[in-house]
Structure formats: C-alpha cells, structure tokens
Coordinates of all heavy atoms in Angstrom, one line a residue:
M1 N 0.8 -1.2 0.0 CA 0.0 0.0 0.0 C 0.9 1.2 0.0 O 1.9 1.3 0.7 CB -0.9 0.0 1.2 CG -2.0 1.0 1.2 SD -3.3 0.6 2.3 CE -2.7 1.3 3.9
S2 N 0.5 2.2 -0.8 CA 1.3 3.5 -0.9 C 1.0 4.4 0.3 O 0.0 4.3 1.0 CB 0.9 4.3 -2.1 OG 1.0 3.4 -3.3
Q3 N 2.0 5.3 0.5 CA 1.8 6.3 1.6 C 1.0 7.5 1.0 O 1.2 7.8 -0.2 CB 3.2 6.8 2.1 CG 4.0 5.7 2.8 CD 3.3 5.3 4.1 OE1 2.9 6.1 4.9 NE2 3.2 4.0 4.2
P4 N 0.3 8.2 1.8 CA -0.4 9.4 1.3 C 0.7 10.5 1.0 O 1.7 10.6 1.6 CB -1.2 9.9 2.5 CG -0.9 9.0 3.7 CD 0.0 7.9 3.2
I5 N 0.3 11.3 0.0 CA 1.1 12.4 -0.4 C 0.6 13.6 0.3 O -0.6 13.8 0.5 CB 1.0 12.6 -2.0 CG1 1.8 11.6 -2.7 CG2 1.4 14.0 -2.4 CD1 1.6 11.6 -4.2
I6 N 1.5 14.5 0.7 CA 1.0 15.8 1.4 C 0.5 16.7 0.3 O 1.3 17.3 -0.4 CB 2.2 16.4 2.2 CG1 2.7 15.4 3.3 CG2 1.8 17.7 2.8 CD1 4.0 15.7 3.8
A7 N -0.8 16.8 0.2 CA -1.3 17.7 -0.9 C -1.1 19.1 -0.6 O -0.9 19.9 -1.5 CB -2.8 17.4 -1.1
D8 N -1.1 19.5 0.7 CA -0.8 20.9 1.1 C -0.5 20.8 2.6 O -0.9 19.9 3.3 CB -2.0 21.8 0.7 CG -1.5 23.2 0.5 OD1 -0.4 23.6 0.9 OD2 -2.3 24.0 -0.1
N9 N 0.2 21.9 3.0 CA 0.5 21.9 4.5 C -0.4 22.9 5.2 O 0.0 23.5 6.2 CB 2.0 22.2 4.7 CG 2.4 23.5 4.2 OD1 1.7 24.2 3.5 ND2 3.7 23.9 4.4
K10 N -1.7 23.0 4.7 CA -2.7 23.7 5.4 C -4.1 23.1 5.0 O -4.2 22.5 3.9 CB -2.7 25.2 5.0 CG -2.8 25.5 3.5 CD -2.7 27.0 3.2 CE -2.7 27.3 1.8 NZ -1.7 26.7 0.9
P11 N -5.1 23.3 5.8 CA -6.4 22.7 5.5 C -7.1 23.4 4.5 O -6.7 24.6 4.1 CB -7.1 22.8 6.9 CG -6.5 23.9 7.6 CD -5.1 24.0 7.1
A12 N -8.1 22.8 3.9 CA -9.0 23.5 3.0 C -10.3 23.9 3.7 O -10.9 23.0 4.4 CB -9.3 22.6 1.8
R13 N -10.7 25.1 3.5 CA -12.0 25.5 4.1 C -13.1 25.2 3.1 O -13.0 25.7 1.9 CB -12.0 27.0 4.4 CG -13.2 27.6 5.0 CD -13.1 29.0 5.2 NE -14.2 29.6 6.0 CZ -14.1 30.6 6.8 NH1 -12.9 31.3 6.9 NH2 -15.1 31.0 7.4
V14 N -14.0 24.4 3.4 CA -15.1 24.0 2.5 C -16.5 24.2 3.1 O -16.6 24.2 4.4 CB -15.0 22.6 2.0 CG1 -13.7 22.3 1.3 CG2 -15.1 21.6 3.2
S15 N -17.5 24.5 2.3 CA -18.8 24.6 2.8 C -19.6 23.3 2.7 O -19.7 22.8 1.5 CB -19.5 25.7 2.0 OG -20.8 25.9 2.4
L16 N -20.0 22.7 3.8 CA -20.6 21.4 3.7 C -22.1 21.6 4.0 O -22.6 22.5 4.6 CB -20.1 20.5 4.9 CG -18.6 20.2 4.8 CD1 -18.2 19.3 6.0 CD2 -18.2 19.6 3.5
K17 N -22.9 20.6 3.4 CA -24.4 20.6 3.5 C -24.8 19.5 4.5 O -24.4 18.3 4.2 CB -25.0 20.5 2.2 CG -25.3 21.7 1.4 CD -26.4 21.5 0.4 CE -26.9 22.8 -0.2 NZ -26.9 24.0 0.5
N18 N -25.6 19.8 5.5 CA -26.1 18.8 6.4 C -26.7 17.6 5.7 O -27.6 17.8 4.8 CB -27.1 19.5 7.3 CG -27.6 18.6 8.4 OD1 -26.9 17.6 8.8 ND2 -28.8 18.8 9.0
G19 N -26.3 16.4 6.0 CA -26.9 15.2 5.5 C -26.3 14.8 4.2 O -26.5 13.7 3.7
K20 N -25.4 15.6 3.6 CA -24.8 15.2 2.3 C -23.6 14.4 2.5 O -22.8 14.6 3.5 CB -24.5 16.5 1.5 CG -24.0 16.2 0.1 CD -23.8 17.4 -0.7 CE -23.1 17.0 -2.1 NZ -22.6 18.1 -2.8
Q21 N -23.4 13.4 1.6 CA -22.2 12.5 1.8 C -21.1 13.0 0.9 O -21.3 13.4 -0.2 CB -22.6 11.1 1.4 CG -21.6 10.1 1.9 CD -21.9 8.6 1.6 OE1 -22.2 8.3 0.4 NE2 -21.9 7.8 2.6
Y22 N -19.9 12.9 1.4 CA -18.7 13.4 0.7 C -17.6 12.3 0.7 O -17.6 11.5 1.6 CB -18.1 14.6 1.4 CG -19.0 15.8 1.4 CD1 -19.9 16.0 2.4 CD2 -19.0 16.8 0.3 CE1 -20.8 17.1 2.5 CE2 -19.9 17.9 0.4 CZ -20.8 18.0 1.4 OH -21.6 19.1 1.4
A23 N -16.8 12.3 -0.3 CA -15.7 11.4 -0.4 C -14.4 12.2 -0.2 O -14.0 13.0 -1.1 CB -15.6 10.7 -1.8
F24 N -13.8 12.0 1.0 CA -12.6 12.7 1.4 C -11.4 12.0 0.8 O -11.2 10.8 1.0 CB -12.5 12.8 2.9 CG -11.2 13.4 3.4 CD1 -10.9 14.7 3.3 CD2 -10.4 12.5 4.1 CE1 -9.7 15.2 3.8 CE2 -9.2 13.0 4.6 CZ -8.8 14.4 4.4
C25 N -10.5 12.8 0.1 CA -9.3 12.2 -0.4 C -8.3 11.8 0.7 O -8.0 12.7 1.5 CB -8.6 13.2 -1.4 SG -6.9 12.7 -1.8
V26 N -7.9 10.6 0.7 CA -7.0 10.0 1.7 C -5.6 9.9 1.1 O -4.6 10.0 1.9 CB -7.5 8.7 2.2 CG1 -6.4 7.9 3.0 CG2 -8.7 8.8 3.1
C27 N -5.5 9.7 -0.2 CA -4.2 9.4 -0.8 C -3.4 10.7 -1.1 O -2.1 10.6 -1.2 CB -4.4 8.6 -2.1 SG -5.0 9.6 -3.4
G28 N -4.0 11.8 -1.1 CA -3.3 13.1 -1.4 C -3.0 13.3 -2.9 O -2.4 14.3 -3.2
R29 N -3.5 12.5 -3.7 CA -3.2 12.6 -5.2 C -4.3 13.3 -6.0 O -4.1 13.6 -7.2 CB -3.0 11.2 -5.8 CG -1.6 10.6 -5.3 CD -1.6 9.1 -5.4 NE -0.4 8.4 -5.0 CZ 0.0 8.2 -3.8 NH1 -0.8 8.5 -2.8 NH2 1.2 7.6 -3.5
S30 N -5.5 13.5 -5.4 CA -6.6 14.1 -6.1 C -6.3 15.5 -6.5 O -5.6 16.3 -5.8 CB -7.8 14.1 -5.2 OG -8.9 14.9 -5.8
E31 N -6.8 15.9 -7.7 CA -6.6 17.3 -8.2 C -7.8 18.1 -7.6 O -7.9 19.3 -7.9 CB -6.6 17.3 -9.7 CG -5.5 16.6 -10.3 CD -4.1 17.3 -10.2 OE1 -4.1 18.6 -10.1 OE2 -3.1 16.6 -10.1
S32 N -8.8 17.5 -7.0 CA -9.9 18.2 -6.5 C -9.9 18.2 -4.9 O -10.9 18.0 -4.3 CB -11.2 17.5 -6.9 OG -11.2 17.2 -8.3
Q33 N -8.8 18.5 -4.4 CA -8.7 18.6 -2.9 C -9.7 19.5 -2.3 O -10.0 20.5 -2.8 CB -7.2 19.0 -2.5 CG -6.1 18.0 -2.9 CD -6.3 16.7 -2.1 OE1 -6.8 16.7 -1.0 NE2 -5.8 15.7 -2.7
P34 N -10.2 19.1 -1.1 CA -9.8 17.9 -0.3 C -10.6 16.6 -0.7 O -10.6 15.7 0.1 CB -10.2 18.3 1.1 CG -11.4 19.2 0.9 CD -11.2 19.9 -0.4
F35 N -11.3 16.7 -1.8 CA -12.2 15.5 -2.2 C -11.6 14.6 -3.2 O -10.6 15.0 -3.9 CB -13.5 16.1 -2.7 CG -14.2 16.9 -1.7 CD1 -14.4 18.3 -1.9 CD2 -14.7 16.4 -0.5 CE1 -15.0 19.1 -0.9 CE2 -15.3 17.2 0.5 CZ -15.5 18.6 0.3
C36 N -12.1 13.4 -3.2 CA -11.6 12.3 -4.1 C -11.9 12.6 -5.6 O -13.0 13.1 -5.9 CB -12.3 11.0 -3.7 SG -11.9 9.6 -4.8
D37 N -11.0 12.4 -6.5 CA -11.2 12.4 -7.9 C -10.9 11.1 -8.6 O -10.8 11.0 -9.8 CB -10.5 13.6 -8.6 CG -9.0 13.4 -8.7 OD1 -8.5 12.3 -8.2 OD2 -8.4 14.2 -9.4
G38 N -10.7 10.1 -7.8 CA -10.4 8.7 -8.4 C -8.9 8.5 -8.5 O -8.5 7.4 -8.9
S39 N -8.0 9.4 -8.2 CA -6.6 9.3 -8.4 C -5.9 8.2 -7.5 O -4.8 7.9 -7.7 CB -5.9 10.6 -8.2 OG -6.3 11.6 -9.2
H40 N -6.7 7.7 -6.5 CA -6.1 6.7 -5.6 C -6.0 5.4 -6.3 O -5.3 4.5 -5.7 CB -7.0 6.6 -4.4 CG -8.4 6.2 -4.7 ND1 -9.4 7.1 -5.0 CD2 -9.0 4.9 -4.9 CE1 -10.5 6.4 -5.3 NE2 -10.3 5.1 -5.3
Q41 N -6.5 5.2 -7.5 CA -6.4 3.9 -8.1 C -5.0 3.4 -8.2 O -4.1 4.1 -8.6 CB -7.0 4.0 -9.5 CG -8.5 4.0 -9.5 CD -9.1 3.2 -10.7 OE1 -8.4 2.9 -11.7 NE2 -10.3 2.9 -10.7
G42 N -4.8 2.2 -7.7 CA -3.5 1.6 -7.7 C -2.7 1.8 -6.5 O -1.6 1.3 -6.4
T43 N -3.1 2.7 -5.6 CA -2.4 3.0 -4.4 C -2.7 2.1 -3.2 O -2.0 2.0 -2.3 CB -2.6 4.4 -3.9 OG1 -4.0 4.5 -3.5 CG2 -2.3 5.5 -5.0
G44 N -3.8 1.4 -3.3 CA -4.3 0.6 -2.2 C -5.0 1.4 -1.2 O -5.5 0.9 -0.2
L45 N -5.1 2.7 -1.4 CA -5.8 3.6 -0.5 C -7.2 3.9 -1.1 O -7.4 3.9 -2.3 CB -5.1 4.9 -0.3 CG -3.7 4.8 0.3 CD1 -2.9 6.1 0.1 CD2 -3.7 4.5 1.8
T46 N -8.2 4.1 -0.2 CA -9.5 4.4 -0.7 C -10.0 5.7 0.1 O -9.6 5.9 1.2 CB -10.5 3.2 -0.4 OG1 -10.4 2.9 1.0 CG2 -10.2 2.0 -1.3
P47 N -10.9 6.4 -0.6 CA -11.4 7.6 0.0 C -12.2 7.3 1.3 O -12.7 6.2 1.4 CB -12.3 8.3 -1.0 CG -12.6 7.2 -2.0 CD -11.5 6.2 -1.9
K48 N -12.2 8.3 2.2 CA -13.1 8.2 3.4 C -14.4 8.8 3.1 O -14.4 10.0 2.9 CB -12.4 8.8 4.6 CG -13.2 8.8 5.9 CD -12.5 9.4 7.0 CE -13.4 9.5 8.2 NZ -13.8 8.3 8.8
M49 N -15.5 8.0 3.2 CA -16.8 8.6 3.0 C -17.3 9.2 4.3 O -17.0 8.6 5.4 CB -17.8 7.5 2.5 CG -17.4 6.8 1.3 SD -17.1 7.9 -0.1 CE -18.8 8.5 -0.4
F50 N -17.9 10.4 4.3 CA -18.4 10.9 5.5 C -19.7 11.7 5.2 O -19.8 12.2 4.0 CB -17.4 11.8 6.3 CG -17.1 13.1 5.6 CD1 -17.7 14.2 6.1 CD2 -16.2 13.2 4.6 CE1 -17.4 15.5 5.5 CE2 -15.9 14.4 4.0 CZ -16.5 15.6 4.5
T51 N -20.5 11.8 6.1 CA -21.8 12.6 6.0 C -21.7 13.8 6.9 O -21.4 13.7 8.1 CB -23.0 11.7 6.4 OG1 -23.0 10.5 5.6 CG2 -24.3 12.5 6.2
A52 N -21.9 15.0 6.3 CA -21.9 16.2 7.1 C -23.0 16.2 8.1 O -24.1 15.8 7.8 CB -22.0 17.4 6.1
E53 N -22.7 16.7 9.3 CA -23.7 16.7 10.4 C -24.3 18.0 10.6 O -25.1 18.2 11.5 CB -23.1 16.1 11.6 CG -22.8 14.6 11.5 CD -22.1 14.0 12.6 OE1 -21.7 14.7 13.6 OE2 -21.9 12.8 12.6
K54 N -23.8 19.0 9.8 CA -24.5 20.4 9.9 C -24.1 21.2 8.6 O -23.1 20.8 8.0 CB -24.0 21.1 11.2 CG -22.6 21.3 11.3 CD -22.2 22.0 12.6 CE -20.7 22.1 12.6 NZ -20.1 22.5 13.8
D55 N -24.9 22.2 8.4 CA -24.5 23.1 7.3 C -23.4 24.0 7.8 O -23.4 24.4 9.0 CB -25.7 24.0 7.0 CG -26.8 23.3 6.2 OD1 -26.4 22.4 5.4 OD2 -28.0 23.7 6.3
G56 N -22.5 24.4 6.9 CA -21.5 25.4 7.3 C -20.1 25.0 6.9 O -19.9 23.9 6.3
D57 N -19.2 25.9 7.2 CA -17.8 25.7 6.8 C -17.1 24.7 7.7 O -17.4 24.6 8.9 CB -17.0 27.1 6.9 CG -17.5 28.0 5.7 OD1 -18.2 27.5 4.9 OD2 -17.0 29.1 5.7
A58 N -16.2 24.0 7.1 CA -15.3 23.0 7.9 C -13.9 23.1 7.3 O -13.7 23.5 6.1 CB -15.9 21.6 7.7
F59 N -13.0 22.8 8.1 CA -11.6 22.8 7.7 C -11.2 21.3 7.5 O -11.0 20.6 8.5 CB -10.7 23.5 8.7 CG -10.9 25.0 8.7 CD1 -11.8 25.6 9.5 CD2 -10.2 25.8 7.8 CE1 -12.1 26.9 9.5 CE2 -10.4 27.2 7.7 CZ -11.4 27.7 8.6
L60 N -11.0 20.9 6.2 CA -10.6 19.5 6.0 C -9.1 19.4 5.7 O -8.5 20.3 5.1 CB -11.4 19.0 4.8 CG -13.0 19.0 4.9 CD1 -13.6 18.2 3.8 CD2 -13.5 18.5 6.3
C61 N -8.6 18.3 6.1 CA -7.1 18.0 6.1 C -6.7 17.9 4.6 O -7.3 17.1 3.9 CB -6.8 16.8 6.9 SG -5.1 16.2 6.8
Q62 N -5.6 18.5 4.3 CA -4.9 18.4 3.0 C -3.5 17.8 3.2 O -2.9 17.4 2.2 CB -4.8 19.7 2.3 CG -6.2 20.3 1.9 CD -6.2 21.3 0.9 OE1 -6.5 21.1 -0.3 NE2 -5.7 22.5 1.3
C63 N -3.0 17.7 4.4 CA -1.7 17.1 4.6 C -1.8 15.6 4.6 O -0.9 14.9 4.5 CB -1.0 17.6 5.8 SG -1.6 17.0 7.4
K64 N -3.1 15.1 4.9 CA -3.4 13.7 4.9 C -2.7 12.9 6.0 O -2.6 11.7 6.0 CB -3.1 13.0 3.5 CG -3.7 13.8 2.3 CD -5.1 14.0 2.4 CE -5.6 14.9 1.3 NZ -7.1 15.1 1.4
H65 N -2.4 13.6 7.1 CA -1.8 13.0 8.2 C -2.6 13.3 9.5 O -2.1 13.0 10.6 CB -0.3 13.4 8.4 CG 0.6 12.7 7.4 ND1 0.6 13.1 6.0 CD2 1.5 11.7 7.5 CE1 1.5 12.4 5.4 NE2 2.0 11.5 6.2
T66 N -3.7 13.9 9.4 CA -4.6 14.2 10.6 C -4.9 12.9 11.3 O -5.1 11.8 10.6 CB -5.8 14.9 10.2 OG1 -6.6 15.1 11.4 CG2 -6.7 14.2 9.2
A67 N -5.1 12.9 12.6 CA -5.5 11.7 13.3 C -7.1 11.7 13.4 O -7.6 10.8 13.9 CB -5.0 11.8 14.7
N68 N -7.7 12.7 12.8 CA -9.2 12.9 12.9 C -9.8 13.2 11.5 O -10.4 14.2 11.4 CB -9.5 14.0 13.9 CG -11.0 14.1 14.1 OD1 -11.8 13.2 14.0 ND2 -11.4 15.4 14.3
P69 N -9.5 12.3 10.6 CA -10.0 12.5 9.2 C -11.5 12.6 9.2 O -12.1 11.8 9.9 CB -9.4 11.4 8.4 CG -9.2 10.3 9.4 CD -8.8 11.0 10.7
P70 N -12.1 13.4 8.3 CA -11.5 14.3 7.3 C -11.1 15.6 7.9 O -10.6 16.4 7.1 CB -12.7 14.5 6.3 CG -13.9 14.5 7.2 CD -13.6 13.5 8.3
F71 N -11.2 15.8 9.2 CA -10.9 17.2 9.7 C -9.5 17.4 10.0 O -8.7 16.5 10.5 CB -11.8 17.4 10.9 CG -13.3 17.2 10.6 CD1 -13.9 16.1 11.0 CD2 -14.0 18.2 9.9 CE1 -15.3 15.9 10.7 CE2 -15.3 18.0 9.6 CZ -16.0 16.8 10.0
C72 N -9.1 18.7 9.9 CA -7.7 19.1 10.3 C -7.6 19.0 11.8 O -8.5 19.5 12.5 CB -7.5 20.6 9.8 SG -6.1 21.4 10.4
D73 N -6.5 18.5 12.3 CA -6.2 18.5 13.7 C -4.9 19.3 14.0 O -4.4 19.2 15.2 CB -6.2 17.1 14.2 CG -4.9 16.3 13.8 OD1 -4.1 16.8 13.0 OD2 -4.7 15.2 14.3
G74 N -4.4 20.0 13.1 CA -3.2 20.8 13.3 C -1.9 20.1 13.0 O -0.8 20.7 13.0
T75 N -1.9 18.8 12.7 CA -0.7 18.0 12.3 C 0.0 18.7 11.2 O 1.3 18.5 11.1 CB -1.1 16.6 12.0 OG1 -1.8 16.0 13.1 CG2 0.1 15.7 11.6
H76 N -0.7 19.4 10.3 CA 0.0 20.0 9.1 C 1.1 20.9 9.5 O 2.0 21.2 8.7 CB -1.0 20.7 8.2 CG -1.7 21.9 8.9 ND1 -2.9 21.7 9.6 CD2 -1.3 23.1 9.1 CE1 -3.2 22.9 10.1 NE2 -2.3 23.8 9.8
K77 N 1.1 21.4 10.7 CA 2.2 22.4 11.2 C 3.5 21.7 11.2 O 4.5 22.4 11.3 CB 1.8 22.9 12.5 CG 0.6 23.8 12.5 CD 0.3 24.5 13.8 CE -1.0 25.3 13.8 NZ -1.9 24.8 14.8
T78 N 3.5 20.4 11.2 CA 4.8 19.7 11.3 C 5.4 19.5 9.9 O 6.6 19.0 9.7 CB 4.7 18.3 11.9 OG1 3.8 17.5 11.1 CG2 4.1 18.4 13.3
F79 N 4.7 20.0 8.8 CA 5.2 19.8 7.4 C 5.6 21.1 6.8 O 4.9 22.1 6.9 CB 4.2 19.1 6.5 CG 3.8 17.8 7.0 CD1 2.5 17.5 7.4 CD2 4.7 16.7 7.1 CE1 2.1 16.2 7.9 CE2 4.4 15.5 7.5 CZ 3.1 15.2 7.9
S80 N 6.8 21.2 6.2 CA 7.3 22.4 5.6 C 6.8 22.5 4.2 O 6.3 21.5 3.6 CB 8.8 22.4 5.6 OG 9.3 21.4 4.7
D81 N 6.9 23.7 3.6 CA 6.5 23.9 2.2 C 7.2 22.9 1.2 O 6.7 22.4 0.3 CB 6.8 25.3 1.7 CG 5.9 26.3 2.4 OD1 4.9 25.9 3.0 OD2 6.2 27.5 2.3
D82 N 8.5 22.6 1.6 CA 9.3 21.6 0.7 C 8.7 20.2 0.7 O 8.9 19.5 -0.2 CB 10.7 21.5 1.3 CG 11.5 22.8 1.1 OD1 11.0 23.7 0.4 OD2 12.6 22.9 1.7
Q83 N 7.9 19.9 1.7 CA 7.4 18.5 1.8 C 6.1 18.4 1.1 O 5.6 17.2 0.9 CB 7.2 18.1 3.3 CG 8.5 17.9 4.0 CD 8.3 17.7 5.5 OE1 8.0 18.6 6.2 NE2 8.4 16.4 5.9
V84 N 5.5 19.5 0.6 CA 4.2 19.4 -0.1 C 4.5 18.7 -1.4 O 5.4 19.0 -2.2 CB 3.6 20.8 -0.3 CG1 2.4 20.8 -1.3 CG2 3.2 21.4 1.0
G85 N 3.6 17.7 -1.8 CA 3.7 17.0 -3.0 C 4.6 15.7 -2.8 O 4.8 15.0 -3.8
Q86 N 5.0 15.5 -1.6 CA 5.8 14.2 -1.3 C 5.1 13.2 -0.5 O 4.3 13.6 0.3 CB 7.1 14.6 -0.6 CG 8.0 15.5 -1.5 CD 9.3 15.9 -0.8 OE1 9.7 15.3 0.3 NE2 10.0 16.8 -1.3
Ligands
FES101 S1 -4.2 19.9 7.0 FE1 -3.8 18.0 7.8 S2 -3.9 18.3 9.9 FE2 -4.3 20.2 9.1

C-alpha cells in the first residue's frame, strides 16, 4: 500500500451541507482537494466517505496525516512547504 502524499500543508475551508455525503481524499493525489477524484487507483488507499452533520464551513485536512480525518487536527504544522507533494 502506498503512503499518502502531502497535498498541502494547510487545511481546505469548504462549505458542507447537512446530511450530504462526501468522499474525502486520503491518498493526497486528487486534483480536487480535499475531495476524491479517483486518483487513488492503484495505491491501495480508498477515500473516506463521511456525511456532514451540519450546514456550514469546515476545515478539511490536506496534509493527509490528521488523526481525525476528514478534519484538520493541526498536524500539518509539522510539514514544511518543501514537503508538499511528497
Ligand atoms: S491539513 Fe492535515 S492536519 Fe491540518
């Protein structure tokens, strides 16, 4: 199984709709961050499906190392700009 790529070293602010299901990119290869675009094929990684529990903005992880996916937990602060894309 492949390791996730650090898509960015900051979270993405997205507007979620209560009750809607989303596919959160886990592999870091999607061009539609923070959501899945199918680029995980062949990595052994699969997107994390989640259902929004309220309307409003959320900060979703783009470093792909959060302990609380799909949400940012601050872990991205340990990654430098040089590590983005690796
Ligand atoms: S973007 Fe991954 S923990 Fe913040």
Side-chain angles (χ1 to χ4, degrees):
M1 191 161 84
S2 306
Q3 292 298 310
I5 287 174
I6 298 164
D8 207 343
N9 60 354
K10 57 182 177 304
R13 182 182 189 152
V14 296
S15 177
L16 301 179
K17 270 204 172 328
N18 185 24
K20 186 172 173 192
Q21 197 179 51
Y22 297 90
F24 171 70
C25 168
V26 165
C27 73
R29 290 159 176 81
S30 171
E31 298 289 331
S32 310
Q33 292 297 331
F35 301 112
C36 174
D37 74 352
S39 297
H40 59 272
Q41 281 218 348
T43 63
L45 298 166
T46 52
K48 177 181 172 63
M49 304 304 296
F50 72 99
T51 304
E53 291 176 355
K54 58 181 182 194
D55 283 332
D57 288 355
F59 290 90
L60 302 191
C61 174
Q62 297 196 102
C63 77
K64 310 304 173 185
H65 286 73
T66 178
N68 182 33
F71 302 105
C72 171
D73 72 352
T75 302
H76 63 267
K77 294 189 186 117
T78 64
F79 299 116
S80 66
D81 290 347
D82 291 349
Q83 289 174 285
V84 172
Q86 295 180 12

